[in-house]
Amino acid sequence: MMTNKNEAIACTVNNCTHHAQNENYCTLNKIQVGTHELNPTKVECTDCESFVNKAR
Ligand code: SF4
């Protein structure tokens, strides 16, 4: 499978359909980052909202 990794977006979430798989990069041109918290204070509070489960 050919993937066009975006070297500006490093990512290790290889469960995501947008992950380059062979390398730890995203293949999207841009991603949306957000939070599920009202008052985010830690890294765990942030989310890649462009994530799509590869296995669905
Ligand atoms: S969409 Fe988000 S989670 Fe998915 S590969 Fe790109 S940066 Fe990673």
Side-chain angles (χ1 to χ4, degrees):
M1 184 176 73
M2 281 293 292
T3 53
N4 287 314
K5 68 180 177 184
N6 181 347
E7 291 186 340
I9 308 177
C11 178
T12 58
V13 186
N14 60 11
N15 258 23
C16 178
T17 195
H18 300 304
H19 193 269
Q21 299 302 318
N22 49 331
E23 293 179 88
N24 281 328
Y25 290 100
C26 185
T27 58
L28 296 177
N29 292 327
K30 65 175 280 195
I31 61 166
Q32 180 69 45
V33 175
T35 183
H36 52 274
E37 304 284 349
L38 291 174
N39 178 29
T41 55
K42 294 177 291 196
V43 67
E44 303 95 284
C45 300
T46 65
D47 305 301
C48 177
E49 295 178 346
S50 301
F51 171 85
V52 176
N53 187 351
K54 190 173 70 173
R56 72 175 181 175

